mmCIF file of all heavy atoms in Angstrom:
data_model
loop_
_atom_site.group_PDB
_atom_site.id
_atom_site.type_symbol
_atom_site.label_atom_id
_atom_site.label_comp_id
_atom_site.label_asym_id
_atom_site.label_seq_id
_atom_site.Cartn_x
_atom_site.Cartn_y
_atom_site.Cartn_z
ATOM 1 N N PHE A 1 105.472 115.494 128.124
ATOM 2 C CA PHE A 1 104.838 114.341 127.504
ATOM 3 C C PHE A 1 104.649 114.510 125.985
ATOM 4 O O PHE A 1 103.992 113.717 125.368
ATOM 5 C CB PHE A 1 103.487 114.062 128.193
ATOM 6 C CG PHE A 1 103.652 113.593 129.602
ATOM 7 C CD1 PHE A 1 103.161 114.334 130.666
ATOM 8 C CD2 PHE A 1 104.323 112.409 129.888
ATOM 9 C CE1 PHE A 1 103.330 113.896 131.974
ATOM 10 C CE2 PHE A 1 104.514 111.970 131.200
ATOM 11 C CZ PHE A 1 104.013 112.725 132.253
ATOM 12 N N SER A 2 105.247 115.548 125.445
ATOM 13 C CA SER A 2 105.268 115.719 123.998
ATOM 14 C C SER A 2 106.592 115.251 123.374
ATOM 15 O O SER A 2 106.847 115.447 122.196
ATOM 16 C CB SER A 2 105.051 117.225 123.639
ATOM 17 O OG SER A 2 103.807 117.651 124.052
ATOM 18 N N LYS A 3 107.406 114.588 124.186
ATOM 19 C CA LYS A 3 108.753 114.179 123.741
ATOM 20 C C LYS A 3 108.772 112.778 123.113
ATOM 21 O O LYS A 3 109.854 112.191 122.957
ATOM 22 C CB LYS A 3 109.712 114.236 124.908
ATOM 23 C CG LYS A 3 109.951 115.645 125.463
ATOM 24 C CD LYS A 3 110.899 115.619 126.635
ATOM 25 C CE LYS A 3 111.120 117.016 127.183
ATOM 26 N NZ LYS A 3 111.998 117.008 128.368
ATOM 27 N N ALA A 4 107.660 112.193 122.823
ATOM 28 C CA ALA A 4 107.608 110.859 122.273
ATOM 29 C C ALA A 4 108.383 110.797 120.957
ATOM 30 O O ALA A 4 108.359 111.727 120.152
ATOM 31 C CB ALA A 4 106.188 110.419 122.028
ATOM 32 N N ARG A 5 109.079 109.661 120.728
ATOM 33 C CA ARG A 5 109.837 109.519 119.492
ATOM 34 C C ARG A 5 108.945 109.076 118.333
ATOM 35 O O ARG A 5 109.288 109.240 117.191
ATOM 36 C CB ARG A 5 110.943 108.491 119.715
ATOM 37 C CG ARG A 5 112.062 108.965 120.623
ATOM 38 C CD ARG A 5 113.031 107.896 120.962
ATOM 39 N NE ARG A 5 112.455 106.937 121.883
ATOM 40 C CZ ARG A 5 113.075 105.829 122.315
ATOM 41 N NH1 ARG A 5 114.271 105.554 121.854
ATOM 42 N NH2 ARG A 5 112.490 105.014 123.167
ATOM 43 N N GLY A 6 107.787 108.508 118.644
ATOM 44 C CA GLY A 6 106.867 108.044 117.598
ATOM 45 C C GLY A 6 107.302 106.679 117.056
ATOM 46 O O GLY A 6 108.392 106.199 117.290
ATOM 47 N N LEU A 7 106.424 106.044 116.260
ATOM 48 C CA LEU A 7 106.672 104.745 115.735
ATOM 49 C C LEU A 7 107.117 104.760 114.271
ATOM 50 O O LEU A 7 107.721 103.806 113.790
ATOM 51 C CB LEU A 7 105.425 103.843 115.870
ATOM 52 C CG LEU A 7 104.867 103.675 117.295
ATOM 53 C CD1 LEU A 7 103.714 102.689 117.281
ATOM 54 C CD2 LEU A 7 105.956 103.270 118.251
ATOM 55 N N LEU A 8 106.784 105.832 113.562
ATOM 56 C CA LEU A 8 107.123 105.930 112.130
ATOM 57 C C LEU A 8 108.614 105.811 111.900
ATOM 58 O O LEU A 8 109.398 106.553 112.502
ATOM 59 C CB LEU A 8 106.625 107.279 111.601
ATOM 60 C CG LEU A 8 106.859 107.522 110.108
ATOM 61 C CD1 LEU A 8 106.075 106.515 109.260
ATOM 62 C CD2 LEU A 8 106.460 108.950 109.723
ATOM 63 N N GLY A 9 108.985 104.832 111.077
ATOM 64 C CA GLY A 9 110.370 104.638 110.717
ATOM 65 C C GLY A 9 111.192 103.853 111.729
ATOM 66 O O GLY A 9 112.352 103.554 111.469
ATOM 67 N N ARG A 10 110.600 103.476 112.813
ATOM 68 C CA ARG A 10 111.306 102.722 113.837
ATOM 69 C C ARG A 10 111.143 101.211 113.531
ATOM 70 O O ARG A 10 110.306 100.820 112.742
ATOM 71 C CB ARG A 10 110.818 103.043 115.226
ATOM 72 C CG ARG A 10 111.113 104.494 115.615
ATOM 73 C CD ARG A 10 110.579 104.821 116.973
ATOM 74 N NE ARG A 10 111.352 104.173 118.016
ATOM 75 C CZ ARG A 10 110.911 104.055 119.274
ATOM 76 N NH1 ARG A 10 109.727 104.546 119.608
ATOM 77 N NH2 ARG A 10 111.633 103.429 120.168
ATOM 78 N N THR A 11 111.964 100.391 114.179
ATOM 79 C CA THR A 11 112.021 98.959 113.863
ATOM 80 C C THR A 11 111.358 98.138 114.975
ATOM 81 O O THR A 11 111.739 98.268 116.140
ATOM 82 C CB THR A 11 113.446 98.479 113.672
ATOM 83 O OG1 THR A 11 114.037 99.180 112.590
ATOM 84 C CG2 THR A 11 113.488 96.987 113.415
ATOM 85 N N LEU A 12 110.378 97.353 114.580
ATOM 86 C CA LEU A 12 109.734 96.374 115.480
ATOM 87 C C LEU A 12 110.418 95.025 115.280
ATOM 88 O O LEU A 12 110.539 94.545 114.155
ATOM 89 C CB LEU A 12 108.265 96.251 115.204
ATOM 90 C CG LEU A 12 107.539 95.134 115.967
ATOM 91 C CD1 LEU A 12 107.441 95.430 117.447
ATOM 92 C CD2 LEU A 12 106.154 94.884 115.389
ATOM 93 N N GLY A 13 110.867 94.400 116.361
ATOM 94 C CA GLY A 13 111.426 93.082 116.299
ATOM 95 C C GLY A 13 110.496 92.042 116.898
ATOM 96 O O GLY A 13 110.147 92.141 118.090
ATOM 97 N N LEU A 14 110.070 91.083 116.092
ATOM 98 C CA LEU A 14 109.180 90.036 116.564
ATOM 99 C C LEU A 14 109.949 88.778 116.924
ATOM 100 O O LEU A 14 110.801 88.314 116.154
ATOM 101 C CB LEU A 14 108.141 89.680 115.470
ATOM 102 C CG LEU A 14 107.110 90.738 115.112
ATOM 103 C CD1 LEU A 14 106.264 90.254 113.942
ATOM 104 C CD2 LEU A 14 106.207 91.036 116.325
ATOM 105 N N VAL A 15 109.647 88.234 118.089
ATOM 106 C CA VAL A 15 110.162 86.918 118.458
ATOM 107 C C VAL A 15 108.938 86.006 118.387
ATOM 108 O O VAL A 15 108.083 85.986 119.257
ATOM 109 C CB VAL A 15 110.748 86.929 119.884
ATOM 110 C CG1 VAL A 15 111.217 85.501 120.269
ATOM 111 C CG2 VAL A 15 111.913 87.927 119.969
ATOM 112 N N GLY A 16 108.837 85.244 117.290
ATOM 113 C CA GLY A 16 107.684 84.428 117.038
ATOM 114 C C GLY A 16 106.787 85.008 115.953
ATOM 115 O O GLY A 16 106.445 86.199 116.009
ATOM 116 N N THR A 17 106.472 84.187 114.959
ATOM 117 C CA THR A 17 105.663 84.658 113.839
ATOM 118 C C THR A 17 104.469 83.702 113.584
ATOM 119 O O THR A 17 104.156 83.370 112.460
ATOM 120 C CB THR A 17 106.484 84.798 112.549
ATOM 121 O OG1 THR A 17 107.184 83.541 112.310
ATOM 122 C CG2 THR A 17 107.515 85.887 112.661
ATOM 123 N N GLY A 18 103.847 83.298 114.672
ATOM 124 C CA GLY A 18 102.598 82.531 114.565
ATOM 125 C C GLY A 18 101.481 83.521 114.219
ATOM 126 O O GLY A 18 101.668 84.642 113.779
ATOM 127 N N GLN A 19 100.251 83.100 114.506
ATOM 128 C CA GLN A 19 99.089 83.922 114.091
ATOM 129 C C GLN A 19 99.092 85.279 114.773
ATOM 130 O O GLN A 19 98.830 86.291 114.162
ATOM 131 C CB GLN A 19 97.792 83.167 114.436
ATOM 132 C CG GLN A 19 96.558 83.807 113.802
ATOM 133 C CD GLN A 19 95.349 82.878 113.870
ATOM 134 O OE1 GLN A 19 95.384 81.840 114.504
ATOM 135 N NE2 GLN A 19 94.286 83.259 113.204
ATOM 136 N N ILE A 20 99.458 85.312 116.073
ATOM 137 C CA ILE A 20 99.484 86.592 116.761
ATOM 138 C C ILE A 20 100.614 87.473 116.241
ATOM 139 O O ILE A 20 100.423 88.643 115.973
ATOM 140 C CB ILE A 20 99.616 86.372 118.290
ATOM 141 C CG1 ILE A 20 98.360 85.676 118.845
ATOM 142 C CG2 ILE A 20 99.824 87.733 118.992
ATOM 143 C CD1 ILE A 20 98.488 85.283 120.304
ATOM 144 N N GLY A 21 101.789 86.911 116.088
ATOM 145 C CA GLY A 21 102.896 87.706 115.579
ATOM 146 C C GLY A 21 102.622 88.275 114.219
ATOM 147 O O GLY A 21 102.993 89.432 113.932
ATOM 148 N N ARG A 22 101.951 87.516 113.390
ATOM 149 C CA ARG A 22 101.618 88.022 112.052
ATOM 150 C C ARG A 22 100.596 89.177 112.122
ATOM 151 O O ARG A 22 100.709 90.135 111.344
ATOM 152 C CB ARG A 22 101.043 86.881 111.178
ATOM 153 C CG ARG A 22 102.053 85.791 110.945
ATOM 154 C CD ARG A 22 101.504 84.601 110.195
ATOM 155 N NE ARG A 22 102.519 83.534 110.091
ATOM 156 C CZ ARG A 22 102.572 82.646 109.129
ATOM 157 N NH1 ARG A 22 101.674 82.663 108.160
ATOM 158 N NH2 ARG A 22 103.526 81.735 109.128
ATOM 159 N N GLU A 23 99.652 89.077 113.038
ATOM 160 C CA GLU A 23 98.672 90.164 113.229
ATOM 161 C C GLU A 23 99.392 91.420 113.722
ATOM 162 O O GLU A 23 99.056 92.541 113.330
ATOM 163 C CB GLU A 23 97.594 89.734 114.202
ATOM 164 C CG GLU A 23 96.659 88.632 113.670
ATOM 165 C CD GLU A 23 95.663 89.094 112.632
ATOM 166 O OE1 GLU A 23 95.540 90.327 112.436
ATOM 167 O OE2 GLU A 23 95.001 88.255 112.027
ATOM 168 N N VAL A 24 100.359 91.229 114.619
ATOM 169 C CA VAL A 24 101.106 92.389 115.124
ATOM 170 C C VAL A 24 101.871 93.032 113.992
ATOM 171 O O VAL A 24 101.957 94.253 113.854
ATOM 172 C CB VAL A 24 102.061 91.951 116.253
ATOM 173 C CG1 VAL A 24 103.002 93.096 116.654
ATOM 174 C CG2 VAL A 24 101.267 91.501 117.494
ATOM 175 N N ALA A 25 102.534 92.194 113.134
ATOM 176 C CA ALA A 25 103.299 92.749 112.025
ATOM 177 C C ALA A 25 102.448 93.615 111.113
ATOM 178 O O ALA A 25 102.829 94.680 110.656
ATOM 179 C CB ALA A 25 103.941 91.583 111.220
ATOM 180 N N THR A 26 101.220 93.114 110.817
ATOM 181 C CA THR A 26 100.317 93.887 109.956
ATOM 182 C C THR A 26 100.001 95.238 110.549
ATOM 183 O O THR A 26 100.023 96.274 109.836
ATOM 184 C CB THR A 26 98.993 93.096 109.752
ATOM 185 O OG1 THR A 26 99.292 91.830 109.124
ATOM 186 C CG2 THR A 26 98.004 93.875 108.935
ATOM 187 N N ARG A 27 99.741 95.287 111.839
ATOM 188 C CA ARG A 27 99.383 96.551 112.489
ATOM 189 C C ARG A 27 100.594 97.461 112.621
ATOM 190 O O ARG A 27 100.469 98.690 112.486
ATOM 191 C CB ARG A 27 98.741 96.265 113.852
ATOM 192 C CG ARG A 27 97.334 95.699 113.722
ATOM 193 C CD ARG A 27 96.898 94.919 114.932
ATOM 194 N NE ARG A 27 95.501 94.473 114.787
ATOM 195 C CZ ARG A 27 95.131 93.453 114.013
ATOM 196 N NH1 ARG A 27 96.048 92.788 113.351
ATOM 197 N NH2 ARG A 27 93.854 93.114 113.944
ATOM 198 N N ALA A 28 101.744 96.875 112.870
ATOM 199 C CA ALA A 28 102.984 97.707 112.983
ATOM 200 C C ALA A 28 103.323 98.377 111.658
ATOM 201 O O ALA A 28 103.703 99.556 111.657
ATOM 202 C CB ALA A 28 104.155 96.828 113.465
ATOM 203 N N ARG A 29 103.137 97.664 110.581
ATOM 204 C CA ARG A 29 103.409 98.264 109.255
ATOM 205 C C ARG A 29 102.457 99.384 108.968
ATOM 206 O O ARG A 29 102.821 100.394 108.305
ATOM 207 C CB ARG A 29 103.325 97.206 108.145
ATOM 208 C CG ARG A 29 104.468 96.192 108.175
ATOM 209 C CD ARG A 29 104.576 95.461 106.824
ATOM 210 N NE ARG A 29 103.299 94.889 106.414
ATOM 211 C CZ ARG A 29 102.866 93.702 106.782
ATOM 212 N NH1 ARG A 29 103.601 92.943 107.575
ATOM 213 N NH2 ARG A 29 101.710 93.221 106.381
ATOM 214 N N ALA A 30 101.232 99.300 109.511
ATOM 215 C CA ALA A 30 100.278 100.426 109.321
ATOM 216 C C ALA A 30 100.743 101.697 110.027
ATOM 217 O O ALA A 30 100.382 102.787 109.617
ATOM 218 C CB ALA A 30 98.915 100.006 109.848
ATOM 219 N N PHE A 31 101.576 101.515 111.052
ATOM 220 C CA PHE A 31 102.174 102.687 111.730
ATOM 221 C C PHE A 31 103.475 103.143 111.056
ATOM 222 O O PHE A 31 104.140 104.028 111.572
ATOM 223 C CB PHE A 31 102.451 102.341 113.193
ATOM 224 C CG PHE A 31 101.250 102.428 114.074
ATOM 225 C CD1 PHE A 31 100.492 101.293 114.379
ATOM 226 C CD2 PHE A 31 100.829 103.640 114.605
ATOM 227 C CE1 PHE A 31 99.388 101.345 115.191
ATOM 228 C CE2 PHE A 31 99.722 103.696 115.432
ATOM 229 C CZ PHE A 31 98.992 102.574 115.725
ATOM 230 N N GLY A 32 103.838 102.515 109.957
ATOM 231 C CA GLY A 32 105.024 102.898 109.249
ATOM 232 C C GLY A 32 106.319 102.307 109.844
ATOM 233 O O GLY A 32 107.423 102.860 109.615
ATOM 234 N N MET A 33 106.169 101.201 110.548
ATOM 235 C CA MET A 33 107.352 100.573 111.134
ATOM 236 C C MET A 33 107.991 99.536 110.234
ATOM 237 O O MET A 33 107.300 98.876 109.460
ATOM 238 C CB MET A 33 106.973 99.894 112.482
ATOM 239 C CG MET A 33 106.384 100.802 113.521
ATOM 240 S SD MET A 33 106.150 99.966 115.131
ATOM 241 C CE MET A 33 107.836 99.962 115.767
ATOM 242 N N ARG A 34 109.265 99.437 110.284
ATOM 243 C CA ARG A 34 110.005 98.333 109.690
ATOM 244 C C ARG A 34 109.846 97.142 110.635
ATOM 245 O O ARG A 34 109.960 97.327 111.871
ATOM 246 C CB ARG A 34 111.468 98.715 109.498
ATOM 247 C CG ARG A 34 112.395 97.576 109.135
ATOM 248 C CD ARG A 34 113.841 98.023 109.273
ATOM 249 N NE ARG A 34 114.766 96.942 109.027
ATOM 250 C CZ ARG A 34 115.863 96.748 109.749
ATOM 251 N NH1 ARG A 34 116.165 97.532 110.760
ATOM 252 N NH2 ARG A 34 116.667 95.723 109.456
ATOM 253 N N VAL A 35 109.617 95.955 110.092
ATOM 254 C CA VAL A 35 109.425 94.794 110.957
ATOM 255 C C VAL A 35 110.466 93.724 110.631
ATOM 256 O O VAL A 35 110.607 93.296 109.486
ATOM 257 C CB VAL A 35 108.017 94.179 110.749
ATOM 258 C CG1 VAL A 35 107.808 92.995 111.734
ATOM 259 C CG2 VAL A 35 106.923 95.246 111.051
ATOM 260 N N VAL A 36 111.228 93.360 111.652
ATOM 261 C CA VAL A 36 112.178 92.236 111.551
ATOM 262 C C VAL A 36 111.657 91.125 112.465
ATOM 263 O O VAL A 36 110.930 91.375 113.441
ATOM 264 C CB VAL A 36 113.604 92.642 111.932
ATOM 265 C CG1 VAL A 36 114.085 93.762 111.016
ATOM 266 C CG2 VAL A 36 113.684 93.072 113.413
ATOM 267 N N ALA A 37 112.027 89.891 112.178
ATOM 268 C CA ALA A 37 111.468 88.756 112.941
ATOM 269 C C ALA A 37 112.393 87.575 112.983
ATOM 270 O O ALA A 37 113.206 87.357 112.072
ATOM 271 C CB ALA A 37 110.115 88.372 112.339
ATOM 272 N N TRP A 38 112.252 86.815 114.042
ATOM 273 C CA TRP A 38 112.907 85.543 114.175
ATOM 274 C C TRP A 38 111.920 84.499 114.670
ATOM 275 O O TRP A 38 111.103 84.791 115.553
ATOM 276 C CB TRP A 38 114.090 85.591 115.158
ATOM 277 C CG TRP A 38 114.627 84.192 115.434
ATOM 278 C CD1 TRP A 38 115.574 83.554 114.717
ATOM 279 C CD2 TRP A 38 114.218 83.355 116.501
ATOM 280 N NE1 TRP A 38 115.818 82.282 115.280
ATOM 281 C CE2 TRP A 38 114.977 82.133 116.353
ATOM 282 C CE3 TRP A 38 113.292 83.402 117.519
ATOM 283 C CZ2 TRP A 38 114.832 81.055 117.232
ATOM 284 C CZ3 TRP A 38 113.117 82.329 118.372
ATOM 285 C CH2 TRP A 38 113.914 81.189 118.216
ATOM 286 N N SER A 39 111.969 83.321 114.098
ATOM 287 C CA SER A 39 111.196 82.188 114.555
ATOM 288 C C SER A 39 111.923 80.942 114.032
ATOM 289 O O SER A 39 112.526 81.007 112.955
ATOM 290 C CB SER A 39 109.761 82.220 114.008
ATOM 291 O OG SER A 39 109.090 81.006 114.302
ATOM 292 N N ARG A 40 111.846 79.866 114.759
ATOM 293 C CA ARG A 40 112.538 78.655 114.332
ATOM 294 C C ARG A 40 112.020 78.174 112.970
ATOM 295 O O ARG A 40 112.722 77.578 112.206
ATOM 296 C CB ARG A 40 112.362 77.544 115.376
ATOM 297 C CG ARG A 40 113.165 77.733 116.662
ATOM 298 C CD ARG A 40 113.007 76.544 117.583
ATOM 299 N NE ARG A 40 113.878 76.657 118.751
ATOM 300 C CZ ARG A 40 113.590 77.311 119.864
ATOM 301 N NH1 ARG A 40 112.416 77.905 119.967
ATOM 302 N NH2 ARG A 40 114.455 77.349 120.864
ATOM 303 N N SER A 41 110.747 78.429 112.714
ATOM 304 C CA SER A 41 110.136 77.914 111.488
ATOM 305 C C SER A 41 110.031 78.946 110.373
ATOM 306 O O SER A 41 109.566 78.613 109.272
ATOM 307 C CB SER A 41 108.731 77.393 111.788
ATOM 308 O OG SER A 41 107.913 78.431 112.325
ATOM 309 N N LEU A 42 110.471 80.184 110.624
ATOM 310 C CA LEU A 42 110.318 81.236 109.602
ATOM 311 C C LEU A 42 111.364 81.035 108.482
ATOM 312 O O LEU A 42 112.553 80.938 108.725
ATOM 313 C CB LEU A 42 110.524 82.583 110.256
ATOM 314 C CG LEU A 42 110.319 83.804 109.348
ATOM 315 C CD1 LEU A 42 108.900 83.887 108.811
ATOM 316 C CD2 LEU A 42 110.677 85.103 110.093
ATOM 317 N N THR A 43 110.868 81.021 107.261
ATOM 318 C CA THR A 43 111.752 80.935 106.083
ATOM 319 C C THR A 43 111.792 82.283 105.376
ATOM 320 O O THR A 43 110.944 83.174 105.620
ATOM 321 C CB THR A 43 111.211 79.881 105.099
ATOM 322 O OG1 THR A 43 109.917 80.298 104.621
ATOM 323 C CG2 THR A 43 111.085 78.518 105.752
ATOM 324 N N ASP A 44 112.747 82.445 104.496
ATOM 325 C CA ASP A 44 112.853 83.668 103.721
ATOM 326 C C ASP A 44 111.565 83.872 102.885
ATOM 327 O O ASP A 44 111.099 84.999 102.698
ATOM 328 C CB ASP A 44 114.068 83.641 102.799
ATOM 329 C CG ASP A 44 115.362 83.785 103.589
ATOM 330 O OD1 ASP A 44 115.356 84.422 104.628
ATOM 331 O OD2 ASP A 44 116.389 83.231 103.117
ATOM 332 N N GLU A 45 111.041 82.795 102.335
ATOM 333 C CA GLU A 45 109.852 82.909 101.481
ATOM 334 C C GLU A 45 108.640 83.394 102.289
ATOM 335 O O GLU A 45 107.894 84.276 101.873
ATOM 336 C CB GLU A 45 109.540 81.529 100.852
ATOM 337 C CG GLU A 45 110.548 81.051 99.805
ATOM 338 C CD GLU A 45 111.834 80.522 100.428
ATOM 339 O OE1 GLU A 45 111.851 80.255 101.669
ATOM 340 O OE2 GLU A 45 112.826 80.399 99.701
ATOM 341 N N THR A 46 108.477 82.806 103.482
ATOM 342 C CA THR A 46 107.349 83.210 104.352
ATOM 343 C C THR A 46 107.531 84.647 104.821
ATOM 344 O O THR A 46 106.570 85.416 104.871
ATOM 345 C CB THR A 46 107.201 82.267 105.551
ATOM 346 O OG1 THR A 46 107.013 80.936 105.049
ATOM 347 C CG2 THR A 46 106.037 82.700 106.428
ATOM 348 N N ALA A 47 108.766 85.000 105.151
ATOM 349 C CA ALA A 47 109.043 86.380 105.551
ATOM 350 C C ALA A 47 108.648 87.385 104.478
ATOM 351 O O ALA A 47 108.075 88.437 104.773
ATOM 352 C CB ALA A 47 110.514 86.516 105.948
#
């Protein structure tokens, strides 16, 4: 159980960037994760 890969430097992919998705993104970045996302309404500016 010491074989975990860890979250640092890994990529989180979000499907949906509403209020919950945005809160998840904030917390994932705190773990040092890269965050990619797709949503029908997501623009480059908002991203």
Side-chain angles (χ1 to χ4, degrees):
F1 294 116
S2 297
K3 296 178 181 178
R5 289 172 289 176
L7 304 186
L8 181 64
R10 296 178 69 195
T11 299
L12 171 70
L14 292 175
V15 178
T17 54
Q19 192 167 8
I20 294 173
R22 296 176 185 208
E23 292 285 351
V24 172
T26 298
R27 287 157 177 77
R29 289 199 307 273
F31 279 96
M33 300 187 77
R34 168 191 176 222
V35 183
V36 299
W38 171 87
S39 172
R40 287 183 173 87
S41 59
L42 183 63
T43 64
D44 288 330
E45 292 76 16
T46 301

